[in-house]
Amino acid sequence: MSRQVFLYDPPDRFVAGTVGLPGRRTFFLQATAGPRVTSVALEKTQVAALAERMDELLDEVLRRSGAVSYTHLKRQLDTPVEEEFRVGTMALAWDGDEQRMIVEAQALVELDADSEEDLAEAEERLLQDEENGPPMLRVRLTGAQARAFAKRALDVVNAGRPPCPLCSLPLDPEGHVCPRQNGYRRGA
């Protein structure tokens, strides 16, 4: 069975968004081109890491070559959101010839390994662009699209539950057991 690659070069839209209430949100990356929509689920920390690395990479490109402008987009996910796969491995690169950022999100794969050597060999095979590898979303963005994505993604990550003023842990709507209150429940 050959690898399924969802390629968007270029996408009409590429956004990070959530489904669900704060504290119980599921995070998604979504790429669209015309009527085609691909949504992949991932962790909040993966969205934050991707956005931060995109900003760092764009800052480096800006430092080396010139301006990379952006517009801040307030776009939501297209609904209904139908998950193609859950992301395991992500990669980010800059194509200097075409002035494009390449984002790759590969499906989560369970590695069968009995030893450290088996695990290292399985991880090396996973990182190669094999024909029979796991499904992958590959998006090629302009600098402006990448910067807009990164800013929006960080807004989505930061729009979660407010922090407790005493311990800084996230507050659920029903409150939480606050370590600074010796285990007593602190209301929202």
Side-chain angles (χ1 to χ4, degrees):
M1 184 168 162
S2 65
R3 167 182 254 178
Q4 188 173 14
V5 177
F6 302 92
L7 177 64
Y8 289 84
D9 184 14
D12 293 338
R13 283 185 340 117
F14 183 57
V15 296
T18 62
V19 173
L21 298 172
R24 294 174 182 82
R25 299 184 296 172
T26 302
F27 286 78
F28 290 93
L29 297 179
Q30 188 178 77
T32 62
R36 193 168 64 113
V37 178
T38 303
S39 303
V40 297
L42 68 169
E43 299 297 321
K44 177 180 181 177
T45 55
Q46 289 174 298
V47 174
L50 177 62
E52 290 165 3
R53 286 295 299 137
M54 286 175 91
D55 265 343
E56 290 171 8
L57 184 55
L58 288 168
D59 289 345
E60 181 64 21
V61 168
L62 174 64
R63 188 183 66 74
R64 290 184 182 190
S65 65
V68 176
S69 63
Y70 73 94
T71 55
H72 191 64
L73 305 175
K74 295 279 187 192
R75 295 208 168 153
Q76 305 295 320
L77 295 174
D78 287 343
T79 56
V81 176
E82 296 179 23
E83 178 182 324
E84 294 292 339
F85 58 84
R86 178 158 285 282
V87 174
T89 306
M90 292 190 305
L92 189 61
W94 180 258
D95 180 346
D97 294 337
E98 295 190 27
Q99 297 295 298
R100 296 280 187 263
M101 180 165 293
I102 303 162
V103 179
E104 291 183 352
Q106 188 168 279
L108 183 63
V109 175
E110 301 258 342
L111 298 176
D112 293 328
D114 296 328
S115 69
E116 289 290 322
E117 291 174 0
D118 290 343
L119 182 60
E121 186 178 309
E123 287 174 341
E124 187 173 322
R125 279 194 318 269
L126 183 64
L127 295 175
Q128 295 173 357
D129 202 8
E130 293 183 6
E131 183 178 311
N132 296 324
M136 177 173 48
L137 171 65
R138 181 178 289 147
V139 182
R140 295 177 54 87
L141 304 165
T142 65
Q145 286 175 316
R147 188 71 84 174
F149 170 86
K151 297 299 181 200
R152 160 92 171 111
L154 289 173
D155 287 348
V156 167
V157 167
N158 294 326
R161 298 172 286 173
C164 172
L166 297 176
C167 69
S168 299
L169 292 174
L171 279 174
D172 290 322
E174 60 275 356
H176 79 121
V177 178
C178 181
R180 299 280 307 269
Q181 292 286 315
N182 292 326
Y184 287 96
R185 194 166 226 30
R186 173 148 177 86

